[in-house]
Amino acid sequence: MESGENLKRQDRPSVLQLRYLAELDHMEKKRGVQGMVAARCGVNASTVNRYFKACMEKGYLDESCGFTDKGRRWFEHYRKLQSRLERYLKELLGRDSEVQEAVRSLIENTDSHVLEAILSSHERQNMLSAKRSVELPDNLREMLRRHRRHEVRFGIYRMGREQRPGRLSMAMRGFREDAYLTEEEGEAYLELYVREVTAASRIDGKTMEGRLDSLKYEDGDTLQNLRIEKEKIQIPLSAFKIYHGQGGRIKGTLAITVTCSVGQAHMPESTAFLVFWL
């Protein structure tokens, strides 16, 4: 019997049991369905059969292995909870192998009300950050209205632990040092300039040259892909998280992914932080 197979663990399913139910949800309810679910999940049919019988005793499944209203609500609650946990832990840990193990442990060993409280708090903070990110300071808006173009400093940093900037990324080599905040047709941008990249091959040590050919970033719920076909690229300021410091200091941050025309060997980091200061 797998760890926590029955439903006496305060109604907490295992991640594998949630998979049984997810497979069941997509199958025609007919004789032998337990065996088909078991085959899909790589377990014995008797294990699935015992679990489905326990679900029937709890009122989650009917005798034909269909979801009852109560069972549907319970299953959907845990399925959404699992998805939210995966997003949350991916932000926190980054590595998929660690994420899946952490999700399994939390689902199986933590009360769902506790998980709901943690996730809801985190999601509220993200919403507040998102609101702050699109509200440009009045002095910055006024400056862009007057000058249309303002030089800033910027850096591209490796993604460190806890999703924070670490050391400078090799992606910095692909951009010139000058950068500007600009405004065009009412939209504000960070303007960067691409230059040639040179690096030694990790295979034979020979010097190779190339250019950055794409930059991806998240804007709200959408992943944007900027194809770098010219020297200049413009990233909307609305995609950045904007922070207001003392003395009117302004900083913007954005998680990005860059690729290079000569291969990924030059930039081992798949994701980095782009930061500008004003």
Side-chain angles (χ1 to χ4, degrees), residues 88-242:
Y88 168 62
L89 290 168
K90 199 159 190 176
E91 287 184 34
L92 199 65
L93 302 175
R95 290 184 283 274
D96 285 341
S97 58
E98 293 183 5
V99 167
Q100 295 308 315
E101 176 57 28
V103 168
R104 184 199 63 75
S105 179
L106 288 169
I107 287 284
E108 296 175 9
N109 299 297
T110 309
D111 186 87
S112 67
H113 297 295
V114 174
L115 295 177
E116 181 71 37
I118 293 171
L119 292 169
S120 295
S121 175
H122 174 71
E123 289 160 0
R124 281 196 298 271
Q125 290 299 318
N126 277 354
M127 289 178 64
L128 289 173
S129 295
K131 287 181 180 179
R132 286 196 296 269
S133 70
V134 298
E135 295 173 357
L136 297 181
D138 290 339
N139 59 340
L140 178 55
R141 288 186 182 278
E142 180 60 28
M143 180 201 71
L144 288 173
R145 277 196 292 267
R146 290 200 316 266
H147 302 292
R148 301 284 179 175
R149 185 176 173 85
H150 187 86
E151 188 167 8
V152 296
R153 291 186 299 152
F154 81 100
I156 302 175
Y157 298 89
R158 294 183 183 184
M159 188 77 78
R161 292 182 179 274
E162 300 181 0
Q163 301 289 294
R164 294 179 180 176
R167 293 182 297 174
L168 276 174
S169 167
M170 291 177 70
M172 275 292 289
R173 299 182 184 182
F175 295 96
R176 287 174 13 196
E177 294 182 359
D178 50 326
Y180 299 88
L181 295 186
T182 65
E183 186 180 44
E184 294 182 10
E185 299 180 355
E187 180 72 49
Y189 299 92
L190 175 68
E191 191 170 281
L192 301 176
Y193 298 88
V194 179
R195 66 181 176 186
E196 293 293 321
V197 179
T198 60
S201 169
R202 292 186 174 185
I203 298 174
D204 56 17
K206 292 182 179 179
T207 299
M208 295 191 296
E209 297 181 352
R211 288 173 60 86
L212 299 176
D213 59 10
S214 74
L215 183 149
K216 298 178 182 179
Y217 65 93
E218 286 190 9
D219 191 355
D221 295 327
T222 305
L223 183 65
Q224 302 290 346
N225 185 6
L226 290 179
R227 297 297 303 175
I228 304 175
E229 299 175 349
K230 299 180 180 179
E231 181 186 52
K232 179 178 71 175
I233 64 169
Q234 292 180 316
I235 305 173
L237 286 193
S238 57
F240 286 80
K241 289 184 179 180
I242 305 295

Side-chain angles (χ1 to χ4, degrees), residues 137 139-140 243-251 278:
N139 59 340
L140 178 55
Y243 300 90
H244 313 163
Q246 294 181 345
R249 185 178 175 84
I250 297 170
K251 180 174 76 172
L278 178 63

